[in-house]
Amino acid sequence: MTSTMPRTGARLPAQRGPLSSAVCAALLLDSNAQVSLPGSAEIIEPYSEDAQLALYTCYELHYRGFDGVDADWEWHPELLRLRRDLERAFLSYVRDHVEPGNDAVAEMDGLCVEPVDGSGPSFYLKKSGTWDQMREYFTHRSLYHLKEADPHAWAIPRLTGQAKASFVAVEFDEFGGGRGERVHQQLFANLLDAAGLDSTYLGYLDVVPAETLATVNLMSLFGLHRSLRGATVGHFTATEITSSPGSRRLVQALQRMDAPNACIEFYAEHVEADAVHEQVMRHDVVGDLIAREPELEPDVVFGIRAADFVEGKLGTLLVDGWRNGLSSLRR
């Protein structure tokens, strides 16, 4: 097999410890090289900067890859072994912090209840956030929104019937309804440009903390494992249900800040589209999936709660920093 060197515009990140250092050093070699990567005993803190960056780097090989990195590293056995160890540690950590449940309808109903005194980033930005804090928020979100809907798309071949058809319908909207200029990833790139930020794919990989990496790593972890397809559906459902009200708050914040139209447009698009997606996900995707495979209902609930857990950790980091006049970005 002939190795290929993709040109993606993304460079390997700066290492944050022995795990990410070992991964990045290996990726500079030919994929036929014999390498020995760290073992599970060396993954001490799965939510650390080092572990989350190592896992993110492994996952990125399944997306667009890195400039100068042999594309065949995607399926290198030793790298997959390390990725498995990182995944197991991360998944175990999340499960230890998330209560199990088995009522998906009740869980989705709970997501639809807007808190009176919400404390997350969108609430803060709407009420008292500054333009600089909003730009910082954009920086964090660039890691997901420049690959928006890609992690969840891996669930498509693992679904059947109405769940599959409706899941694809929602993804079709996320990918612009067949119009390249309306792909949500492109709309967010337009937002970054308008805000005077770097719209390059992975442009901010080196400055976002572990809490940001973990939000995207969780999606990749769920999406890449058929055994976690229920969790993927749960995660995607949580994303769609909470997106519309959160986006509405951000529109109000951006209007208060007199932000550029491209910034407002991105979130205004999500206010309308995701309100429709919520109903499709609730009834046609989750409803049909559970009817066909009732044993997956606890996994759907886990996906919803896991999404809330990792987003909560990131949200706390951001808001606590803003209240104290601090940035949450790495320097």
Side-chain angles (χ1 to χ4, degrees), residues 237-260:
T237 300
T239 301
E240 296 303 313
I241 290 177
T242 58
S243 175
S244 184
S247 295
R248 183 177 295 106
R249 289 188 290 271
L250 290 170
V251 166
Q252 293 168 341
L254 289 163
Q255 290 172 336
R256 175 176 63 80
M257 297 173 189
D258 196 24

Side-chain angles (χ1 to χ4, degrees), residues 153-165:
W154 277 310
I156 294 171
R158 294 159 181 170
L159 301 174
T160 59
Q162 189 60 52
K164 182 171 194 161

Side-chain angles (χ1 to χ4, degrees), residues 12-29 35-39 42 50 53-54 57-58 73 78-79 81-82 86:
L12 283 170
Q15 303 90 331
R16 303 184 191 180
L19 296 169
S20 54
S21 294
V23 170
C24 290
L27 294 180
L28 292 174
L29 304 174
V35 296
S36 179
L37 294 171
E42 297 173 68
D50 187 30
L53 180 61
T57 305
C58 289
W73 272 108
E78 179 66 1
L79 192 66
R81 193 272 309 159
L82 174 58
L86 289 164

Side-chain angles (χ1 to χ4, degrees), residues 152-270:
H152 298 116
W154 277 310
I156 294 171
R158 294 159 181 170
L159 301 174
T160 59
Q162 189 60 52
K164 182 171 194 161
S166 296
F167 196 101
V168 170
V170 174
E171 288 277 75
F172 183 66
D173 285 349
E174 302 288 346
F175 293 130
R179 297 169 58 195
E181 74 277 8
R182 300 303 301 173
V183 173
H184 289 184
Q185 297 169 15
Q186 181 58 53
L187 294 181
F188 197 79
N190 297 344
L191 172 152
L192 292 171
D193 289 336
L197 296 169
D198 184 2
S199 61
T200 305
Y201 182 76
L202 297 186
Y204 290 112
L205 180 56
D206 281 337
V207 303
V208 298
E211 288 83 354
T212 304
L213 300 178
T215 62
V216 185
N217 280 341
L218 185 70
M219 302 180 209
S220 300
L221 171 59
F222 288 166
L224 282 166
H225 290 268
R226 186 174 63 84
S227 62
L228 293 171
R229 63 192 181 281
T232 301
V233 168
H235 189 290
F236 195 31
T237 300
T239 301
E240 296 303 313
I241 290 177
T242 58
S243 175
S244 184
S247 295
R248 183 177 295 106
R249 289 188 290 271
L250 290 170
V251 166
Q252 293 168 341
L254 289 163
Q255 290 172 336
R256 175 176 63 80
M257 297 173 189
D258 196 24
N261 288 336
C263 298
I264 297 173
E265 179 187 13
F266 176 81
Y267 290 103
E269 168 81 9
H270 286 70

Side-chain angles (χ1 to χ4, degrees), residues 3-325:
S3 298
T4 57
M5 293 289 187
R7 293 195 58 80
T8 66
R11 58 183 176 80
L12 283 170
Q15 303 90 331
R16 303 184 191 180
L19 296 169
S20 54
S21 294
V23 170
C24 290
L27 294 180
L28 292 174
L29 304 174
D30 186 273
S31 64
N32 294 315
Q34 296 295 315
V35 296
S36 179
L37 294 171
S40 59
E42 297 173 68
I43 305 172
I44 300 172
E45 296 290 341
Y47 225 95
S48 69
E49 298 289 341
D50 187 30
Q52 286 297 316
L53 180 61
L55 184 56
Y56 197 101
T57 305
C58 289
Y59 282 147
E60 191 55 43
L61 299 175
H62 299 289
Y63 291 102
R64 303 188 196 180
F66 300 96
D67 279 355
V69 172
D70 189 335
D72 287 341
W73 272 108
E74 180 180 7
W75 301 111
H76 192 286
E78 179 66 1
L79 192 66
L80 290 176
R81 193 272 309 159
L82 174 58
R83 198 195 87 187
R84 177 200 63 191
D85 291 343
L86 289 164
E87 287 177 332
R88 288 177 175 176
F90 180 37
L91 187 59
S92 178
Y93 179 92
V94 174
R95 288 194 185 280
D96 286 345
H97 289 81
V98 172
E99 290 291 329
N102 55 18
D103 189 337
V105 172
E107 203 67 26
M108 292 185 291
D109 287 345
L111 290 178
C112 295
V113 178
E114 277 285 277
V116 176
D117 54 350
S119 57
S122 64
F123 288 96
Y124 180 92
L125 291 167
K126 173 188 173 183
K127 182 178 180 181
S128 56
T130 66
W131 176 236
D132 284 342
Q133 290 168 343
M134 181 65 80
R135 293 174 79 248
E136 183 177 317
Y137 180 77
F138 294 161
T139 300
H140 284 280
R141 289 306 187 191
S142 69
L143 270 291
Y144 169 60
H145 283 308
L146 292 179
K147 59 161 56 82
E148 183 174 340
D150 288 347
H152 298 116
W154 277 310
I156 294 171
R158 294 159 181 170
L159 301 174
T160 59
Q162 189 60 52
K164 182 171 194 161
S166 296
F167 196 101
V168 170
V170 174
E171 288 277 75
F172 183 66
D173 285 349
E174 302 288 346
F175 293 130
R179 297 169 58 195
E181 74 277 8
R182 300 303 301 173
V183 173
H184 289 184
Q185 297 169 15
Q186 181 58 53
L187 294 181
F188 197 79
N190 297 344
L191 172 152
L192 292 171
D193 289 336
L197 296 169
D198 184 2
S199 61
T200 305
Y201 182 76
L202 297 186
Y204 290 112
L205 180 56
D206 281 337
V207 303
V208 298
E211 288 83 354
T212 304
L213 300 178
T215 62
V216 185
N217 280 341
L218 185 70
M219 302 180 209
S220 300
L221 171 59
F222 288 166
L224 282 166
H225 290 268
R226 186 174 63 84
S227 62
L228 293 171
R229 63 192 181 281
T232 301
V233 168
H235 189 290
F236 195 31
T237 300
T239 301
E240 296 303 313
I241 290 177
T242 58
S243 175
S244 184
S247 295
R248 183 177 295 106
R249 289 188 290 271
L250 290 170
V251 166
Q252 293 168 341
L254 289 163
Q255 290 172 336
R256 175 176 63 80
M257 297 173 189
D258 196 24
N261 288 336
C263 298
I264 297 173
E265 179 187 13
F266 176 81
Y267 290 103
E269 168 81 9
H270 286 70
V271 171
E272 181 177 346
D274 291 345
V276 176
H277 294 169
E278 171 192 339
Q279 299 303 316
V280 176
M281 293 300 298
R282 281 174 62 95
H283 303 292
D284 298 335
V285 178
V286 174
D288 187 68
L289 176 68
I290 291 175
R292 292 172 182 274
E293 301 181 87
E295 69 278 7
L296 294 183
E297 188 162 11
D299 288 346
V300 173
V301 174
F302 171 64
I304 294 173
R305 294 184 177 181
D308 180 67
F309 171 69
V310 298
E311 288 292 340
K313 286 179 72 69
L314 174 59
T316 297
L317 177 72
L318 267 62
V319 174
D320 284 354
W322 292 338
R323 286 174 175 162
N324 290 288

